[in-house]
Amino acid sequence: MRILFGAAIALAMASPALADTNVTVDADAPAPKYDKRIFGQFAEHLGNGIEDGIWVGKDSPIPNENGYRKDVLDALRAIKVPLVRWPGGCFADEYHWREAIGPKTGRKVKINTHWGYVTEDNKFGTHEFMNFAEAVGAEPYVSGNIGSAPPYEMAEWVEYMTAPIGSSLAKERAENGRKEPWNLSMFGLGNELWGCGGNMRAEYAADITRRYSTFVKTPAGQKTMKVASGASDFNTHWTDVMMERAGQFFDGIGVHYYTVPNNWEHKGSAIGFDEEQWARTLAKTVRMDDVIVAHSKVMDKHDPEKRVALLIDEWGTWYDKDPGTHDGFLRQQNSLRDALVTSLNFDIFAKHTDRVRGANIAQMVNVLQAMMFTEGAKMVKTPTYHVFDLYQGYQDGIVYPVNVETPEYAKDEWSLAKISASAVRGTDGVLRIALTNVDPKASEKVSITLDGASGKAVSGRIITAARMDAHNTFEDKDAVVPKPFGGAKINGSRLMLTMPAKSVVMLEVR
Ligand code: AHR
């Protein structure tokens, strides 16, 4: 009896036809690495993204390290956040760095004209940000003001951050508490120059980018990646003009693609939605693939060597604000649906690592598709955070191409592949395979064939929940968290498992 049972398993493992979805991992043809910068995050001066989200100040009763919330810092360190983009967003092109350095009492209080018309006291400035990035262990990505400041202001800011001891600006930095220069990994040449960054035409923006880029100078030995302000969605004309006219003056160009379920006037609710909204949101988020393909094609024309990186500078869901929250603060709940949005995008990025070498989810804390919510001393991690955790073994790993034969999941006019997958061999040598089942009602049998690889053991973690809009709250922090997944079986180079409905699974093959 025991032998027969064993034989039945062996037969099932040898016959992918018994599965509804067949995934092939091509370990013989590795693609460019999964750049850890793809797990970057965006922190803008917007709502409670920084104030109360990251920064509470040294005198706060909320436990902190030099003014940074301890709970948030620890959570960010735990998922090894590699990159943080700051201070905007739209905020960047109205930001004047001098207003936010030196003694806190002397800092300029301004109106944040983009986000809620509230006061911005500038207590979190260059020092607070650069030290924050260091405390997290992340690279800083600073976006310069091109829309409303002269090149000289930007050049001085770069010198202030990066010049070794010697110049007046370096001396001023030391007097303000930082003797050694910071390492400025990335510098953004404005943000959304076609919109809030100055409403420029692509041709004018290309000229401006050439001009400002000329004055971003860092000391020998410090390589700062210059990033041009990119297009939104499918505006490939922008990318075309920027690449053609200014491509030699930058190392990366951004693109922004938000997943808005309905339209900008009525975006849709973060929770309490039906299956049509579920399907619509996921079908729209996988259009990220088309966005990347479209911009990459244009970039290939001007840069066949792929020197210039495509950075998904802002991505994530954008819903209607949570009822009762401040206008312009972009506070939205985060559910299991957001977890699947995250995993689907991470799988898409894996297909394009030849061009996509960085991304920043919008945003880090309390804003849009956030990692965490805070309220006073309380903090809760979102389902999105937990997917970042699940995928962290992908950072800088070798990408293996995957082929997925899977049925379609459809609801009304919206459809997409039922199973999404990606595979990466981590820097620790472990082969990881991520799978997402977007069907909210039906499980799916999956067979995985490893071409050119095999394993002896498989373990896994899963994120799922009973409801499509399940979410974590301050009262119930563990409604959507990763749990051990023991449902996968391995026999050499063949794996079999059943993916529960609406789930994300990360397998580890050893
Ligand atoms: O992330 C919110 C805003 O969305 C950013 O400030 C802007 O760049 C984009 O339009």
Side-chain angles (χ1 to χ4, degrees):
M1 184 66 180
R2 207 176 270 164
I3 292 165
L4 272 180
F5 184 59
I9 289 181
L11 183 66
M13 305 273 277
S15 173
L18 290 180
D20 305 312
T21 288
N22 292 297
V23 177
T24 308
V25 175
D26 193 352
D28 285 329
K33 73 169 184 182
Y34 201 104
D35 199 311
K36 66 178 180 183
R37 287 176 171 173
I38 292 172
F39 294 94
Q41 302 191 6
F42 175 32
E44 181 166 16
H45 286 254
L46 193 174
N48 298 112
I50 289 177
E51 188 79 33
D52 296 333
I54 294 170
W55 176 256
V56 285
K58 285 182 191 160
D59 301 329
S60 171
I62 296 171
N64 67 83
E65 262 181 53
N66 296 320
Y68 311 114
R69 291 184 72 113
K70 180 98 177 69
D71 47 7
V72 169
L73 260 189
D74 287 345
L76 296 173
R77 286 171 177 149
I79 55 169
K80 299 195 176 69
V81 173
L83 180 74
V84 186
R85 179 173 181 253
W86 171 88
C90 293
F91 188 81
D93 284 288
E94 292 189 6
Y95 189 67
H96 300 281
W97 66 277
R98 278 210 161 277
E99 296 172 356
I101 57 165
K104 298 264 196 293
T105 44
R107 297 195 185 180
K108 190 163 177 178
V109 177
K110 308 182 52 158
I111 298 294
N112 188 332
T113 57
H114 280 290
W115 306 118
Y117 210 80
V118 293
T119 49
E120 163 61 59
D121 63 13
N122 275 317
K123 295 267 169 28
F124 190 96
T126 302
H127 286 252
E128 290 75 19
F129 170 68
M130 296 300 270
N131 292 341
F132 168 69
E134 274 189 356
V136 170
E139 295 179 281
Y141 175 1
V142 174
S143 288
N145 179 348
I146 284 195
S148 69
Y152 185 62
E153 180 178 324
M154 190 199 64
E156 285 209 319
W157 193 15
V158 173
E159 184 185 326
Y160 182 86
M161 290 186 277
T162 63
I165 321 297
S167 75
S168 300
L169 283 167
K171 190 161 169 267
E172 189 180 356
R173 183 189 66 228
E175 283 161 6
N176 285 331
R178 175 75 183 206
K179 192 168 170 209
E180 295 304 319
W182 290 286
N183 189 46
L184 178 63
S185 299
M186 292 169 76
F187 191 81
L189 301 161
N191 170 77
E192 296 194 350
L193 295 182
W194 42 266
C196 62
N199 285 310
M200 301 173 195
R201 292 174 307 112
E203 292 73 12
Y204 180 72
D207 284 345
I208 284 279
T209 299
R210 293 169 67 106
R211 179 176 176 215
Y212 277 71
S213 171
T214 309
F215 304 106
V216 176
K217 293 179 184 169
T218 48
Q222 180 161 168
K223 173 82 186 108
T224 301
M225 182 177 187
K226 298 181 196 177
V227 183
S229 163
S232 179
D233 303 349
F234 290 94
N235 182 1
T236 51
H237 170 72
W238 183 274
T239 306
D240 196 19
V241 173
M242 290 290 271
M243 287 295 294
E244 183 183 1
R245 300 190 180 197
Q248 70 269 41
F249 294 93
F250 52 78
D251 311 298
I253 185 164
V255 66
H256 295 180
Y257 179 64
Y258 283 99
T259 302
V260 181
N262 301 332
N263 54 55
W264 285 104
E265 285 68 46
H266 304 286
K267 302 177 196 71
S269 300
I271 52 173
F273 49 82
D274 60 15
E275 191 183 337
E276 190 271 348
Q277 286 281 303
W278 166 276
R280 178 191 275 268
T281 306
L282 299 185
K284 283 196 170 184
T285 214
V286 296
R287 296 219 68 197
M288 175 68 89
D289 202 356
D290 304 324
V291 169
I292 294 172
V293 168
H295 290 280
S296 298
K297 200 169 153 205
V298 168
M299 291 175 77
D300 284 350
K301 200 170 79 180
H302 303 289
D303 174 35
E305 305 296 323
K306 299 185 193 288
R307 183 190 68 80
V308 179
L310 180 63
L311 300 160
I312 318 301
D313 259 346
E314 292 181 26
W315 68 277
T317 52
W318 196 325
Y319 307 123
D320 294 328
K321 72 183 180 92
D322 285 347
T325 59
H326 200 297
D327 278 341
F329 276 22
L330 311 187
R331 174 97 169 203
Q332 61 184 45
Q333 195 38 276
N334 191 293
S335 76
L336 178 65
R337 179 175 60 172
D338 295 87
L340 271 76
V341 163
T342 312
S343 61
L344 292 172
N345 279 283
F346 283 158
D347 291 348
I348 291 167
F349 299 152
K351 288 165 67 179
H352 302 289
T353 50
D354 58 335
R355 202 50 104 168
V356 175
R357 289 173 228 141
N360 304 290
I361 192 164
Q363 297 195 5
M364 190 178 250
V365 191
N366 291 328
V367 175
L368 295 176
Q369 193 181 340
M371 301 289 123
M372 280 162 267
F373 294 121
T374 62
E375 199 180 282
K378 294 183 281 191
M379 186 277 271
V380 62
K381 296 169 191 159
T382 65
T384 297
Y385 173 93
H386 293 299
V387 176
F388 271 70
D389 182 21
L390 229 53
Y391 276 72
Q392 64 167 286
Y394 273 28
Q395 292 197 14
D396 280 343
I398 298 163
V399 178
Y400 293 149
V402 294
N403 182 53
V404 185
E405 287 167 21
T406 186
E408 233 177 36
Y409 157 68
K411 176 71 184 169
D412 300 344
E413 71 199 87
W414 304 99
S415 66
L416 67 159
K418 185 165 174 181
I419 297 290
S420 162
S422 60
V424 169
R425 190 174 294 282
T427 52
D428 56 2
V430 176
L431 170 59
R432 293 185 175 81
I433 303 170
L435 296 156
T436 299
N437 178 6
V438 302
D439 192 324
K441 290 188 176 137
S443 61
E444 178 80 356
K445 278 192 195 144
V446 180
S447 164
I448 305 171
T449 305
L450 308 178
D451 267 357
S454 63
K456 291 196 172 90
V458 59
S459 59
R461 288 200 296 161
I462 184 168
I463 295 179
T464 188
R467 293 173 56 96
M468 292 182 290
D469 70 343
H471 53 277
N472 300 329
T473 61
F474 296 120
E475 292 71 39
D476 183 7
K477 294 186 173 185
D478 296 332
V480 189
V481 290
K483 304 230 165 79
F485 177 74
K489 304 282 172 257
I490 188 162
N491 184 3
S493 58
R494 175 70 46 74
L495 289 106
M496 294 287 289
L497 70 152
T498 298
M499 283 290 294
K502 49 178 161 25
S503 65
V504 184
V505 166
M506 179 63 77
L507 299 175
E508 295 195 346
V509 178
R510 290 182 165 82

